């Protein structure tokens, strides 16, 4: 459960490496031969060995480097875990809802980088999670970890696998080749290791050796000041330097793809971190990937795509209150969520110079987390549960120079198995938190100017409204807003 230390290092490396595409050009002056898709040979037994090895490496780090008590496993802990029913654990928000999904992505990549299909890789992710929960810790198996690691790992795993594929070019050599292989290793460590094992890291070929066809990729890296404050104390807030990226992979309106889409042919991913403040380092991670989709309309400059999507969302915050104490005004996550959606695009013309992009999603949240005001157990200050989310995004772009974004996100999570206060002040174990439900509404407006030379400037304003309804306590409402001025570079 407390895998955060080493996994978090891997996560930061992967997030940072996305931006390195800036320094590695896709083509240079050399004339290359035509390319073809490389089929990775299926090696299921090696995938099993690498899933097992991933757990052993992380366990060894926790046991012999960190000397953690929970890593001191043995026959006694194996028997205890196998006889016990899974529980809701007490690890902190970032551990359960960021580190665990990333750990799952390593299992998933162990299968994908050994030639296993998207759907065939899911059992490896589930198997790696079961092994960890029952055999790699002295703590009881965790229900929430099994879900977050297995299904959150699938989403982050396929995203990192496809991103690593963008940097593979077996035709290159020298410093360029080294740079590409290092990026593959950072984004997808297991795939990078497999390329070293097979010798693909230095093998010179006549084709790129990628597993997917070339797709359009939009990447924007940005940084700038951020000010976060409570609505009632708008002058007393928290300043930080916010850095992050926005990524769009693929084109859901491609005219050549009128049939069904395969998983993650199109996805978006956003992440941001706050520096030089009391804020958590990682404050936001969002990802939406298509599992199935079909173009409903693709005529006369209008395009409409419907599909089934997988979602991963994570929001975290921390500021000082009136008493100068550090508090989290909002915190929510949907680590495992699926739902339907519609994507719309209207192309700009001479008579209508404004391009319109819009998307709407309705999701079932299988596992989510939301901030609580009362349940505090070990590192837990949040509720776990399930629920739904609704998201509406609209973008208007004028002559590819000025764009306006309007976004609304509504997350609603219900805690079913909750703590029932008995007046003794005792915290009950193996519960999701406080009985009740919590909503977080995120309303965003953003105005951006694009220079035409890949540089851009944006002003963003967001309102976070948290509404929490308790069965045994007084209801809570909390409003927070932030303002950001960011400078970006777009590929």
């Amino acid at each position: 459960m407390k895998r955060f230390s080493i996994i978090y290092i891997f996560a930061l490396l992967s997030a940072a490496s996305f931006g390195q595409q800036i320094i590695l050009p896709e083509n240079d002056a050399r004339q290359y031969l035509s390319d073809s898709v490389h089929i990775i040979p299926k090696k299921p037994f090696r995938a099993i060995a690498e899933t097992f090895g991933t757990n052993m490496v992380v366990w060894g780090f926790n046991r012999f480097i960190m000397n953690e008590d929970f890593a001191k496993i043995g026959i006694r802990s194996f028997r205890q875990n196998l006889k016990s029913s899974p529980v809701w654990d007490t690890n902190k928000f970032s551990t359960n809802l960021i580190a665990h999904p990333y750990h799952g992505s390593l299992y998933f990549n162990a299968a994908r980088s050994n030639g296993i299909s998207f759907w065939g890789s899911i059992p490896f992710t589930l198997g790696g999670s079961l092994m960890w929960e029952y055999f790699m810790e002295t703590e009881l198996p965790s229900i929430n970890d099994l879900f977050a690691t297995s299904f959150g790992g699938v989403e982050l795993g396929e995203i990192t696998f496809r991103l690593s594929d963008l940097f593979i070019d077996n035709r290159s050599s020298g410093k360029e080749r080294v740079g590409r292989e290092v990026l593959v290793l950072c984004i997808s460590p297991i795939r990078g290791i497999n390329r070293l094992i097979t010798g693909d890291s230095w093998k010179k070929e006549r084709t790129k050796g990628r597993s997917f066809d070339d797709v359009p990729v939009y990447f924007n890296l940005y940084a700038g000041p951020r000010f976060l404050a409570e609505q009632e104390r708008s002058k007393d807030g928290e300043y930080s330097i916010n850095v992050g990226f926005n990524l769009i992979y693929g084109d859901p309106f491609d005219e050549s793809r009128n049939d069904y889409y395969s998983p993650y042919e199109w996805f978006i991913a956003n992440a941001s971190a706050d520096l030089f403040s009391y804020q958590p380092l990682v404050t936001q991670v969002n990802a939406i990937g298509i599992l199935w989709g079909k173009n409903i309309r693709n005529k006369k400059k209008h395009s409409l795509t419907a599909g089934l999507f997988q979602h991963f969302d994570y929001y975290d915050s921390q500021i000082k209150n009136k008493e100068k104490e550090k508090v989290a005004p909002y915190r929510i996550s949907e680590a495992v969520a699926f739902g339907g959606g519609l994507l719309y695009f209207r192309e700009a013309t001479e008579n209508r110079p404004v391009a319109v992009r819009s998307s709407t999603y309705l999701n079932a949240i299988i596992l989510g987390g939301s901030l609580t005001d009362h349940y505090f157990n070990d590192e837990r200050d949040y509720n776990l549960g399930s629920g739904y989310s609704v998201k509406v995004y609209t973008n208007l772009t004028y002559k590819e120079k000025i764009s306006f974004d309007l976004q609304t996100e509504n997350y609603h999570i219900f805690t079913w198995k909750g703590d029932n206060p008995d007046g003794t002040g005792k915290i009950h174990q193996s519960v999701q938190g406080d009985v009740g439900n919590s909503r977080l509404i995120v309303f965003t407006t953003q105005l951006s100017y694009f220079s035409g030379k890949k540089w851009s400037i944006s002003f963003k304003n967001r309102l976070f409204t948290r509404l929490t309804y308790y069965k045994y306590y007084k209801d809570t409402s909390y409003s927070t807003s932030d303002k950001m001025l960011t400078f970006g570079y777009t590929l």
Side-chain angles (χ1 to χ4, degrees), residues 245-291:
F245 68 86
N246 302 312
L247 173 72
I248 302 176
Y249 177 98
D251 179 10
F253 307 113
D254 187 349
E255 294 182 0
S256 65
R257 297 183 182 277
N258 292 319
D259 206 348
Y260 299 111
Y261 282 72
S262 62
Y264 284 82
E265 276 191 76
W266 175 86
F267 64 82
I268 61 175
N270 310 307
S272 66
D274 279 71
L275 311 176
F276 313 112
S277 72
Y278 293 108
Q279 287 273 66
L281 179 60
V282 179
T283 51
Q284 178 182 346
V285 179
N286 309 99
I288 302 174
I290 196 166
L291 296 173

Side-chain angles (χ1 to χ4, degrees), residues 24 172-185 201:
L24 290 179
S172 62
S173 59
K175 293 181 180 179
E176 179 187 343
R177 183 62 175 268
V178 172
R180 288 181 178 274
E181 296 300 328
V182 168
L183 285 172
V184 171
L185 182 64
S201 291

Side-chain angles (χ1 to χ4, degrees), residues 47-202:
I48 293 173
E50 289 176 352
T51 300
F52 178 85
T54 297
N55 278 340
M56 294 303 295
V57 169
V58 177
W59 169 79
F61 178 85
N62 291 328
R63 173 64 180 87
F64 299 107
I65 304 300
M66 302 303 295
N67 195 30
E68 297 281 6
D69 290 336
F70 70 85
K72 298 176 181 178
I73 57 176
I75 299 298
R76 184 177 179 180
S77 66
F78 299 161
R79 289 176 178 172
Q80 178 184 356
N81 289 347
L82 290 171
K83 290 180 180 179
S84 303
S85 299
V87 300
W88 302 92
D89 73 20
T90 60
N91 292 152
K92 61 185 179 181
F93 192 71
S94 56
T95 301
N96 277 341
L97 298 167
I98 282 289
H100 282 281
Y102 184 77
H103 195 169
S105 76
L106 300 179
Y107 305 143
F108 190 84
N109 271 279
R112 290 295 272 142
S113 61
N114 278 295
I116 311 300
S117 69
F118 174 87
W119 298 110
S121 298
I122 296 177
F124 289 83
T125 312
L126 178 59
S129 182
L130 287 169
M131 174 188 169
W132 181 274
E133 295 299 324
Y134 282 90
F135 299 103
M136 309 309 294
E137 295 180 317
T138 59
E139 299 175 357
L140 296 179
S142 167
I143 302 173
N144 49 280
D145 289 349
L146 287 170
F147 275 93
T149 305
S150 300
F151 296 99
V154 169
E155 181 153 19
L156 298 186
E158 183 66 9
I159 287 175
T160 53
F161 181 72
R162 284 181 175 264
L163 288 180
S164 68
D165 199 67
L166 296 174
F167 297 97
I168 293 175
D169 191 344
N170 293 342
R171 305 166 305 178
S172 62
S173 59
K175 293 181 180 179
E176 179 187 343
R177 183 62 175 268
V178 172
R180 288 181 178 274
E181 296 300 328
V182 168
L183 285 172
V184 171
L185 182 64
C186 289
I187 297 172
S188 177
I190 306 300
R191 188 176 196 178
I193 291 171
N194 274 329
R195 287 182 62 82
L196 289 170
I197 292 174
T198 60
D200 289 338
S201 291
W202 54 83

